[in-house]
Amino acid sequence: MAGEITLQELDAGKFIEEKVEAIRNMVGNGIAINALSGGVDSAVVTLLGHKALGDRLKTVFVENGLMREGEAQQVVNWFKDLGVTVDVADARAEFFSALAGIIDPEEKREAITQTFYRDVFGRIVKASGAKYLLQGTILTDIDETKAGIKRQHNVFEQLGINPEDAFGYRILEPLVELRKDGVRAVGKALGLPEEVFNRPPFPGPALAARVIGAVTPERIETVRRATAVVETMLRDSGAFQYLAILHEDRVTGIRDGKRDFGLQIEVRCWDSVDARIAEPTQLPFATLTRMAAEIVRTVPGVVSVTYNIGTKPPSTIEAI
């Protein structure tokens, strides 16, 4: 595997030229496909691939039921404005079926990986005739997987897994030499709008990475609503990443003068450069109290909101 290209070393224009040429050489006259989640990494890969292959790159948004509010339509509209057609594949039932009854974090990640790569995307790839999958794996994904911290859903060959044998297609990873700051710089150079290349990172397992315990449509909807509040209220904070987490146990609260066993949301907000280490953002207490009040007001069943003040390490940015 190639070494790291730091932000200081990165010549974004040259990087784009080299990766576009490499993608063309690998795919030849064939067809490639990629999954666009709307996150920074997949957005950058989408534009690199379309710059290299044009309409011979098929771009798909997989609606897994685990995404943020209105994500599918927002992503389709962004890329339509950039001249890229995005097909939406509805796979909500398959993902929730695969996650049913699973509470172990690694088992959740594996269920999502297998459902996405083997079942849902495997089917889409076969129908398209593509032999190559472009994806936005970055260096931090590989580091954390190889170190045993978390099995990132998009890491295979670095673990000795051959995607061609396992899933029937080859995977191209043009961003593996970069960390998040470098990916953002490439996205800017490619012409992505700032609201895309400066989006807070979003995990591959999506909101399933932010539900502790069982993943159900109802619990995902709870964390989805809390996420909308957090992202709205912290988008101008200057933080690297901010998110809401739904805890498993119900906690004792009071509503209308009576005891109410309700839900607990944990808010995390991080200062970081590349996600390897992170410090909790020192948000004003007034911001925290307004955010907590809005979550309790707008998210049914929530009676408690906490703020994480641990560092990474020993914490990780995402909960699962």
Side-chain angles (χ1 to χ4, degrees), residues 177-253:
E177 299 155 295
L178 303 179
R179 299 192 189 275
K180 191 68 70 176
D181 52 355
V183 177
R184 293 193 196 282
V186 171
K188 183 177 181 179
L190 281 166
L192 276 173
E194 186 170 1
E195 62 181 330
V196 180
F197 73 73
N198 260 344
R199 287 190 101 186
F202 193 64
L207 295 177
R210 298 175 180 176
V211 170
I212 299 174
V215 177
T216 65
E218 296 75 21
R219 302 193 80 220
I220 288 291
E221 182 58 25
T222 295
V223 82
R224 180 181 288 123
R225 290 192 181 196
T227 296
V229 173
V230 170
E231 292 192 347
T232 297
M233 298 192 73
L234 297 184
R235 67 163 56 106
D236 296 324
S237 65
F240 175 80
Q241 191 167 354
Y242 31 88
L243 56 133
I245 294 162
L246 174 61
H247 281 250
E248 183 172 18
D249 288 342
R250 288 185 173 267
V251 296
T252 303

Side-chain angles (χ1 to χ4, degrees), residues 244-301:
I245 294 162
L246 174 61
H247 281 250
E248 183 172 18
D249 288 342
R250 288 185 173 267
V251 296
T252 303
I254 302 171
R255 201 183 300 272
D256 299 326
K258 298 179 181 179
R259 184 168 66 177
D260 179 13
F261 290 114
L263 303 172
Q264 179 174 322
I265 291 290
E266 175 190 335
V267 176
R268 296 184 178 189
C269 184
W270 299 100
D271 291 336
S272 182
V273 173
D274 56 21
R276 284 184 291 181
I277 60 173
E279 296 281 340
T281 305
Q282 296 188 28
L283 296 172
F285 194 73
T287 299
L288 293 173
T289 55
R290 283 198 306 271
M291 187 162 46
E294 186 67 6
I295 290 171
V296 170
R297 185 182 73 83
T298 62
V299 185

